[in-house]
Every structure is written in structure tokens, then in C-alpha cells.
């Protein structure tokens, strides 16, 4: 296999982006997909078709936006450097990108994607700036990469890596579907009362509810609450027990079956015994809300999740733990999630305009909660447990596939593995 070294500017056109004035409403809510680095911050796929905002033709013409054709490879060049995706269709970006429109006679689009993934750290190291690091168009264009001369060889390499990524992406889609099923089931049973329509209903402060159900508070279905423990970064004095310390930013990975990027900390033995998480606990984020995103995010702990941490998991002191009565955990979590998605938590926040804190105790003691018969909750919990197990299994498989991909990537992209 013959390889050749090129500058990026020799194998494609380096294209920046722009932002229409946000003060002019006519520039937005149009038909032109417009991507910002924020759109890629939690993006789990490889191909992107649109972001959270579209712009109008008027907005596009008002600034130096450029249309990127299908197959262009987006590379965020600041705040932060290194988000990468392939344009699934024509789109444009803000100024936080130095994207590459590949010359199709020299380089395959998917191979270019993996080339940038492989060279991401090198590109980051070329960034400069005082307020934040940024890669200029000139710098991006001068980055040297080595690629197979033959396009069919490029496609073979990209095909191996893409097969792994496709399976991971498919697992993520399955998990998203499983979660949607769980939330839909909660709504059907406990909001719309679909399975209970034939029962007599009575009035309550939450409206008509099935006879025999009651309205209480979260404290009515909770055995205990636990404070978090940030511990120490290194062994210090009696801080000798090593644990993984979960944060709110880890919840999404954990819920999807991945081991969150949780820091390892050291805590006291007595705190390990008192604060170690158990299956069916709920972790609640109590600090860090903003004007647009409330505190109160939650994570439902499962047996399979804890096994990824060798059953040594606590939460930080920016979180608290709810330990529901046996049989109530799944209902407690999905009722909590339903309220979070409906922005109820904003009413239980205090703090500055920049950073909010969740009034955890007030929520537990004041927020009305529908409490169905325990027999119905146990049925619900059994279904949710099966869905959660499937999510954790998919996440475990994806973790192994990602490790294999990350092992193969440098060997394939350097020619160490001969095809």
C-alpha cells in the first residue's frame, strides 16, 4: 500500500463559518442548517444533518457563511478544538469551525474524517490565543497528513473503523428507543392512566385520579437520603478508601450503559460504609443550574451500572442520593424525570443569576406526588428493570467496540496494519 504526505490544503478546501446577527429575528428559523460547536458537544454519531438552529437565506447572505456540501468534514477550531463530524447534507457553520471540503479525486470523505480524528491532538497543539485556544485557517491548511494514494485502500481502512462506529451508533439508538419506551410507559400509566380508565376516579389536588390512589410527597416513598463526598485526590491521613465519585456530567453516560468519566478519589472508611451507592438509589444533582438549564438532573443506579465501578461508587457533594422504599425506585425516578422535563425544578432553585442551587429538602417535602398502589409500582419497576438491563448490556458492548476502534485507529492510519 503506497502512502503519500499532503498538507490538508492540498487535499481539500479549508472553510470557516460565520454567525448572522442574533439581534435580527429574520435571520433565524429558516431552512438552512447551521451548526455550532455546541451542537457537537453531546453528538454521538458521525454524520450530522442539522443543529439546534437553522438560518434564513437573508441571514446567510448577511455574513460570510459558506455552504458546505454533503461529505464535508466539520472540525471545531475553538471552544473547544476537536469536535468532528461529516455533513450528511448541505449545511453551514458558525465561525467556530475550520471544515474541510475534500477533493474526492484524492481523499475519501470517511477516510478524511478518521484522518482528522487521528491527528486531532496534533491539531490542538497548533492552536494559539490568549482568551481561548483557536486554530486558524492557515494553520489548519498546513497540517500534514499521510494517506494511501489509492482511494480503494482508503475506503478499506475507513470501512473497518466505520463498521465499529456504526454498531456503537446503533446501540446508542437502541438505548434511546428503550429510554423513550420507559418514559412513554410512565406517562401512559401514571399521567394518562390508560390501564386504569375503567376504574372509578376521585378528585384530588392533582385532578381526577383512580380511586385508591393518593397524593403525597416524595418524602413519603423515601427511606433515606445521603450526602455526597468529594473526598481527597490522593491518599491523605485516614482518607484511604478508593472510590469513583460520580458527578452530574456523568449521568448521561451511566444511564446509557457506559462507565462515566468519574474521577477516582479517596474517602474515610466510615464514609465509604455510609455513602456507598446501592442498586435502585437515585443520584440527584443539586448545584450548577443556569437560567436555561435547571438543577435536579437524576440518575437511577442499577446493579449492572455499579458493577462497572466494582461496586465502589459515591457521588460528589454537588449531588445527593435518594434511597426509595423497596419497589418505588423506578416510579420515583421517572416521576422525577417527568417533572424535570416539564421544568418543575426551576421553581425550587435559588442562587445567583449565573449559578443556581436546587432546594432539595423543599422539593421532597413540598412537591405534590401521586402515589399509586404498590402492586402497580412493582409491575412498573419490573418492566423498567428489564429495559435498564438491556441499556447496560448495549453500553458494555459499545465500550468494548470503542476500545477496539481506538486500538485499531493509530495502527490503520499509520500503515502499521497491512491490508
Amino acid at each position: 500500500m503506497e502512502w503519500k504526505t499532503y498538507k490538508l490544503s492540498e487535499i481539500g478546501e479549508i472553510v470557516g463559518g460565520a454567525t448572522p446577527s442574533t439581534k435580527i429575528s429574520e435571520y433565524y428559523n429558516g431552512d438552512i442548517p447551521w451548526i455550532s460547536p455546541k451542537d457537537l458537544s453531546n453528538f454521538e454519531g458521525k454524520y450530522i444533518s442539522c443543529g439546534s438552529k437553522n438560518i434564513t437565506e437573508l441571514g446567510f447572505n448577511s455574513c460570510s457563511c459558506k455552504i458546505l456540501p454533503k461529505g464535508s468534514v466539520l472540525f471545531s477550531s475553538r471552544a473547544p478544538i476537536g469536535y468532528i463530524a461529516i455533513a450528511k447534507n448541505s449545511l453551514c457553520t458558525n465561525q467556530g469551525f475550520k471544515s474541510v471540503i475534500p477533493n474526492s479525486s484524492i481523499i475519501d470523505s470517511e477516510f478524511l474524517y478518521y484522518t482528522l480524528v487521528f491527528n486531532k491532538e496534533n491539531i490542538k497543539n497548533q492552536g494559539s490565543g490568549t482568551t481561548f485556544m483557536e486554530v486558524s485557517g492557515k494553520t489548519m491548511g498546513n497540517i500534514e497528513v499521510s494517506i494511501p494514494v489509492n482511494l480503494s485502500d482508503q475506503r478499506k481502512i475507513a470501512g473497518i473503523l466505520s463498521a465499529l462506529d456504526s454498531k456503537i451508533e446503533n446501540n446508542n439508538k437502541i438505548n434511546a428507543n428503550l429510554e423513550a419506551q420507559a418514559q412513554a410507559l410512565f406517562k401512559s400509566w401514571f399521567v394518562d392512566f390508560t390501564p386504569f380508565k375503567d376504574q372509578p376516579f376521585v378528585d384530588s389536588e392533582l385532578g381526577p385520579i383512580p380511586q385508591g390512589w393518593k397524593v403525597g410527597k416524595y418524602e413519603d416513598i423515601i427511606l433515606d437520603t445521603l450526602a455526597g463526598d468529594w473526598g481527597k485526590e490522593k491518599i491523605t491521613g485516614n482518607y484511604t478508601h478508593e472510590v469513583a465519585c460520580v458527578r452530574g456530567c456523568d449521568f448521561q453516560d451511566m444511564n446509557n450503559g457506559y462507565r462515566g468519566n468519574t474521577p477516582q478519589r479517596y474517602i474515610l472508611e466510615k464514609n465509604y460504609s455510609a455513602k456507598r451507592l446501592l442498586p435502585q438509589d437515585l443520584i440527584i444533582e443539586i448545584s450548577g443550574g443556569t437560567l436555561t438549564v435547571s438543577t435536579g438532573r437524576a440518575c437511577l443506579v442499577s446493579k449492572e451500572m455499579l458493577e462497572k465501578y466494582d461496586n465502589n461508587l459515591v457521588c460528589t457533594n454537588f449531588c445527593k442520593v435518594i434511597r426509595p422504599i423497596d419497589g418505588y425506585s423506578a416510579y420515583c425516578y421517572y416521576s422525577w424525570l417527568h417533572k424535570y422535563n416539564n421544568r418543575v425544578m426551576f421553581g425550587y432553585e435559588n442562587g445567583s443569576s449565573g449559578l443556581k442551587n436546587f432546594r432539595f429538602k423543599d422539593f421532597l417535602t413540598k412537591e405534590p406526588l401521586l402515589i399509586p398502589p404498590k402492586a402497580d409500582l412493582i409491575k412498573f419497576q419490573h418492566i423498567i428493570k428489564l429495559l435498564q438491563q438491556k441499556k447496560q448490556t448495549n453500553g458494555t458492548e459499545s465500550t468494548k467496540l470503542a476500545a477496539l476502534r481506538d486500538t485499531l485507529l493509530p495502527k490503520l492510519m499509520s500503515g502499521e496494519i497491512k491490508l
Side-chain angles (χ1 to χ4, degrees):
M1 185 184 297
E2 182 184 357
W3 293 68
K4 184 176 179 179
T5 298
Y6 291 92
K7 292 181 179 180
L8 282 179
S9 60
E10 295 174 328
I11 59 175
E13 180 185 357
I14 312 301
V15 178
T19 300
S21 173
T22 56
K23 297 179 180 179
I24 302 177
S25 60
E26 290 80 8
Y27 288 171
Y28 290 88
N29 300 316
D31 298 322
I32 302 174
W34 181 78
I35 312 293
S36 72
K38 185 178 179 180
D39 292 316
L40 295 182
S41 62
N42 292 310
F43 187 68
E44 296 177 339
K46 181 165 59 178
Y47 285 88
I48 189 166
S49 58
C50 61
S52 61
K53 295 180 180 179
N54 281 7
I55 61 174
T56 62
E57 186 175 353
L58 190 65
F60 179 83
N61 291 329
S62 73
C63 58
S64 56
C65 268
K66 292 185 179 180
I67 290 292
L68 298 171
K70 176 182 177 181
S72 300
V73 182
L74 283 59
F75 188 94
S76 67
S77 54
R78 66 179 189 181
I81 298 171
Y83 289 152
I84 309 172
I86 303 175
K88 191 175 183 179
N89 43 255
S90 295
L91 49 78
C92 61
T93 74
N94 77 354
Q95 64 275 19
F97 288 89
K98 295 297 181 288
S99 302
V100 184
I101 302 174
N103 182 334
S104 59
S105 66
I106 299 176
I107 190 164
D108 174 75
S109 182
E110 283 205 338
F111 187 84
L112 174 58
Y113 169 86
Y114 289 111
T115 296
L116 293 179
V117 171
F118 177 57
N119 286 277
K120 181 168 66 175
E121 292 305 314
N122 176 41
I123 298 173
K124 280 184 178 180
N125 292 335
Q126 306 301 315
S128 61
T130 53
T131 305
F132 49 76
M133 300 297 287
E134 181 174 9
V135 176
S136 69
K138 181 179 180 180
T139 297
M140 189 75 174
N142 284 329
I143 296 293
E144 292 189 342
V145 296
S146 184
I147 66 174
V149 172
N150 195 314
L151 283 168
S152 63
D153 290 333
Q154 295 178 24
R155 292 181 183 122
K156 287 179 185 177
I157 293 173
I160 293 170
L161 298 169
S162 184
L164 296 171
D165 275 335
S166 294
K167 178 56 179 171
I168 293 170
E169 187 173 352
N170 188 53
N171 281 343
N172 289 336
K173 289 179 179 178
I174 292 172
N175 277 1
N177 180 263
L178 291 170
E179 180 58 26
Q181 289 181 47
Q183 293 188 40
L185 183 67
F186 172 84
K187 184 176 184 296
S188 174
W189 283 26
F190 305 117
V191 178
D192 300 331
F193 308 120
T194 302
F196 314 105
K197 291 291 189 183
D198 294 335
Q199 297 182 18
F201 276 64
V202 297
D203 289 333
S204 77
E205 64 179 283
L206 296 178
I209 62 174
Q211 190 172 12
W213 298 28
K214 63 180 183 179
V215 176
K217 311 295 182 188
Y218 278 91
E219 64 179 352
D220 298 329
I221 63 170
I222 291 172
L223 281 176
D224 200 5
T225 61
L226 309 176
D229 188 343
W230 186 227
K232 305 290 184 181
E233 186 176 359
K234 299 178 181 178
I235 294 177
T236 303
N238 293 325
Y239 288 81
T240 57
H241 209 106
E242 187 175 15
V243 295
C245 201
V246 63
R247 306 154 299 175
C249 60
D250 300 314
F251 289 0
Q252 182 174 340
D253 280 345
M254 293 170 66
N255 282 328
N256 279 323
Y258 300 104
R259 191 187 192 282
N261 190 27
T262 50
Q264 297 298 118
R265 308 288 290 189
Y266 295 89
I267 62 175
L268 299 171
E269 172 62 33
K270 66 176 184 179
N271 287 351
Y272 173 76
S273 302
K275 298 182 179 184
R276 185 166 63 101
L277 299 181
L278 301 176
Q280 305 308 314
D281 283 348
L282 271 67
I283 316 170
I284 309 297
E285 186 181 42
I286 61 169
S287 182
T290 66
L291 291 175
T292 55
V293 179
S294 73
T295 50
R297 285 189 296 180
C299 178
L300 175 60
V301 178
S302 68
K303 173 178 172 290
E304 294 77 16
M305 183 186 293
L306 286 173
E307 288 172 351
K308 292 179 171 66
Y309 297 89
D310 300 319
N311 291 299
N312 290 322
L313 187 66
V314 299
C315 68
T316 76
N317 50 2
F318 293 104
C319 297
K320 285 189 180 292
V321 176
I322 289 175
R323 188 158 290 163
I325 296 170
D326 185 45
Y328 285 78
S329 286
Y331 177 74
C332 186
Y333 171 71
Y334 280 99
S335 69
W336 193 286
L337 183 60
H338 182 73
K339 291 178 184 289
Y340 178 84
N341 289 339
N342 284 280
R343 303 171 66 86
V344 173
M345 277 58 179
F346 278 115
Y348 289 88
E349 287 187 326
N350 57 24
S352 68
S353 59
L355 194 64
K356 302 287 187 179
N357 297 309
F358 183 58
R359 302 200 319 271
F360 178 71
K361 185 176 180 180
D362 281 352
F363 189 86
L364 298 186
T365 58
K366 295 179 181 180
E367 177 62 24
L369 175 68
L370 179 65
I371 304 180
K374 189 172 182 179
D376 295 321
L377 299 186
I378 290 175
K379 291 178 185 177
F380 177 72
Q381 180 147 313
H382 176 70
I383 298 171
I384 294 301
K385 184 177 181 181
L386 295 176
L387 296 178
Q388 296 284 352
Q389 286 173 343
K390 290 179 182 178
K391 288 173 65 178
Q392 293 296 318
T393 298
N394 289 338
T396 298
E397 180 184 49
S398 292
T399 299
K400 293 177 181 178
L401 291 171
L404 176 59
R405 177 203 60 204
D406 293 344
T407 299
L408 289 175
L409 177 68
K411 295 181 178 181
L412 288 168
M413 300 304 291
S414 65
E416 181 180 340
I417 294 179
K418 308 296 183 183
L419 298 181

